[in-house]
Amino acid sequence: STDIKIEVEGLERVGIANIYDGDFLIWAATQIRRQHQRTGEAPRTVFFTPKQVLKHLGKKVGGENYKQL
């Protein structure tokens, strides 16, 4: 069993993740797990574009959804 810790940091100007960000956190955890399965190592940082996340979450790409992300 591998212990994996996920740390979420928020910038003062945008705040910390909350319960409404659960879908995004699940998506991020999935990306980390996939990388771990492929390479045996969990990445320290997950890089993504807003478009990737919004499409995965089934939301319209652009506009207000970009701001909310």
Side-chain angles (χ1 to χ4, degrees), residues 37-64:
Q37 288 175 323
R38 281 196 302 268
T39 67
E41 296 183 20
R44 294 182 56 88
T45 305
V46 177
F47 295 94
F48 63 91
T49 64
K51 183 178 180 178
Q52 288 173 301
V53 176
L54 292 172
K55 285 183 78 172
H56 176 80
L57 297 177
K59 298 190 179 211
K60 291 182 181 179
V61 175
E64 193 61 30

Side-chain angles (χ1 to χ4, degrees), residues 3-52:
D3 292 332
I4 297 176
K5 174 183 170 185
I6 297 176
E7 186 173 323
V8 178
E9 296 181 14
L11 301 173
E12 187 175 323
R13 65 184 170 84
V14 295
I16 188 77
N18 60 46
I19 191 69
Y20 301 107
D21 298 314
D23 286 342
F24 173 76
L25 294 175
I26 291 168
W27 176 86
T30 300
Q31 302 311 304
I32 292 168
R33 182 69 180 147
R34 285 181 181 162
Q35 180 71 17
H36 184 262
Q37 288 175 323
R38 281 196 302 268
T39 67
E41 296 183 20
R44 294 182 56 88
T45 305
V46 177
F47 295 94
F48 63 91
T49 64
K51 183 178 180 178
Q52 288 173 301

